[in-house]
Amino acid sequence: MAMSMRRALLPLHRMRFRNVKNAEASLEVRYPLPFVVPVRTKKRYFIPPAVGIKGKAAVSADQEAKARAAGVVLRQEYMERAINIACTAGVFDPYIPPEGDARLSSLSKEGLKQRTEQIKQGAASQLAIRKIKEHDAEFTTKAFPVKAQEIFVDAHNALTQFNKEKLHSLVTERCYPEMVRGNRYKTLRWHFVESLEPPKVVHARCPDMVSKGNLYGQVTVRMHSRQTLAVYDRFGRLMMGSEEEPRDVLEYLVLERHLVNPYGMWRLHGKIVPAWAPVKEPIVKTVMIPGPELKPGEEFEELNYEVPKPKAVQWHK
């Protein structure tokens, strides 16, 4: 009876021993060896000058082989630049304003010479105007200058109010950074007083970009007006200009439109500054004048300190 019970419990004992052995094996922790995966970065590796191009290629090939062996796929880096086809990158064949414009009368000798040169240069502008009219049926040389002046006024009002959304709809992507550059922490006060002469179209070009047939219309408008401009710094001090003193301004505005795009609009693209234009007035910068050193518990008003006047600075010779 005892032997029969022993024979019956022996298989159960062996099964229990195997389970315990398997559990001990499963609890045994084995730490894996360190595995290094090469990662491509922008760091450039130093190559001795004696190695040359072949050595550089061998080093890069060795790195790629190690990366492939580790199962890492290295993507090739491309230097890509964004291209904007909504506008061109500049002014094609810019208009050259005649010297002494808005000063010489058309009846003088020099005025007649300039008038004849403008007539000769107007042949290319007439061809460009014909192309523009093929894509824009509403374009006319009589009504367009008034529209261009409205765009100019609305764009500068949006600039003084820092309305970026409206400014983007009135100026091109090339003109926007030129208008907002340097205006941070400043206050602009600009006002359009009146127009001294009616604006007129003086130049027109119809270039293409990227591919033939991708046409852009560029029209130069001469605008002689009276404006006021005042620029204040971040402390509220006047840097240049005046809000009460209007000045006569002669400008040559370049407006552009993507003619192929049916939803394109005429926007301010740039401004032509003639070489004979007078130099702008220098900007008065705010300078900190060092004051007296105050002791603990001492106030500046009790000292009756007189602020020294700044020395005269010669801005231009």
Side-chain angles (χ1 to χ4, degrees):
M1 184 71 181
M3 288 298 294
S4 62
M5 291 293 293
R6 185 179 179 184
R7 290 177 183 176
L9 295 175
L10 185 61
L12 296 175
H13 180 70
R14 291 177 180 175
M15 188 179 298
R16 183 180 179 183
F17 179 76
R18 290 176 184 174
N19 293 337
V20 173
K21 191 175 182 180
N22 294 335
E24 291 178 357
S26 62
L27 292 174
E28 187 179 5
V29 180
R30 295 181 181 179
Y31 295 95
L33 297 176
F35 183 70
V36 180
V37 179
V39 180
R40 188 176 184 180
T41 61
K42 294 184 179 180
K43 182 179 178 181
R44 297 183 178 180
Y45 295 90
F46 174 73
I47 299 170
V51 176
I53 301 174
K54 294 182 179 180
K56 185 176 181 180
V59 171
S60 61
D62 188 17
Q63 293 174 358
E64 291 181 1
K66 291 181 179 179
R68 289 178 182 176
V72 179
V73 180
L74 299 179
R75 296 181 60 185
Q76 189 174 359
E77 296 181 0
Y78 296 95
M79 296 297 294
E80 298 179 355
R81 293 182 179 179
I83 298 176
N84 184 19
I85 63 173
C87 68
T88 58
V91 180
F92 288 85
D93 192 10
Y95 174 70
I96 301 175
E99 187 173 358
D101 194 4
R103 296 179 183 178
L104 298 175
S105 63
S106 59
L107 299 177
S108 62
K109 185 177 180 181
E110 295 181 357
L112 291 173
K113 288 182 180 179
Q114 294 177 1
R115 186 65 178 172
T116 53
E117 291 179 359
Q118 290 178 2
I119 293 173
K120 292 179 181 179
Q121 295 176 357
S125 298
Q126 292 298 328
L127 296 175
I129 289 172
R130 291 178 185 176
K131 290 184 180 180
I132 293 172
K133 287 184 177 180
E134 292 177 359
H135 295 82
D136 187 3
E138 298 179 357
F139 179 84
T140 57
T141 55
K142 294 182 179 180
F144 182 77
V146 179
K147 182 180 179 181
Q149 186 173 347
E150 293 177 357
I151 295 172
F152 172 79
V153 174
D154 294 343
H156 282 74
N157 288 333
L159 178 64
T160 56
Q161 298 171 4
F162 294 97
N163 192 348
K164 297 182 180 180
E165 291 76 10
K166 187 176 181 181
L167 189 61
H168 273 293
S169 63
L170 295 171
V171 302
T172 59
E173 287 75 11
R174 182 249 182 189
C175 183
Y176 180 83
E178 294 182 357
M179 291 187 67
V180 301
R181 185 182 295 116
N183 295 338
R184 194 174 184 183
Y185 305 123
K186 295 179 183 178
T187 304
L188 307 178
R189 293 287 185 266
W190 180 86
H191 180 62
F192 184 84
V193 180
E194 60 179 348
S195 181
L196 300 177
E197 296 181 29
K200 62 179 180 179
V201 177
V202 295
H203 194 71
R205 288 294 181 269
C206 191
D208 52 359
M209 189 177 69
V210 180
S211 62
K212 190 174 182 180
N214 190 24
L215 299 177
Y216 295 83
Q218 291 186 354
V219 180
T220 305
V221 178
R222 177 185 179 274
M223 192 174 70
H224 191 198
S225 59
R226 184 169 293 171
Q227 308 170 13
T228 60
L229 174 65
V231 181
Y232 299 91
D233 60 2
R234 58 179 178 174
F235 304 107
R237 299 183 177 92
L238 182 65
M239 299 180 65
M240 63 172 295
S242 174
E243 294 188 49
E244 300 177 355
E245 182 184 355
R247 297 189 180 184
D248 300 344
V249 183
L250 178 63
E251 296 174 309
Y252 300 91
L253 310 176
V254 180
L255 287 93
E256 186 184 81
R257 177 181 175 179
H258 193 195
L259 299 176
V260 182
N261 185 6
Y263 304 101
M265 297 181 298
W266 288 101
R267 298 184 295 174
L268 191 63
H269 187 62
K271 188 184 296 184
I272 297 175
V273 181
W276 46 266
V279 182
K280 294 183 179 180
E281 294 182 0
I283 296 177
V284 180
K285 297 183 179 180
T286 303
V287 182
M288 184 183 68
I289 301 175
E293 297 182 359
L294 300 178
K295 298 179 180 179
E298 191 177 11
E299 295 184 0
F300 178 77
E301 297 178 355
E302 297 177 356
L303 297 177
N304 296 325
Y305 180 79
E306 294 183 1
V307 180
K309 296 182 180 181
K311 298 180 180 179
V313 180
Q314 186 178 3
W315 293 96
H316 53 83
K317 296 182 181 179

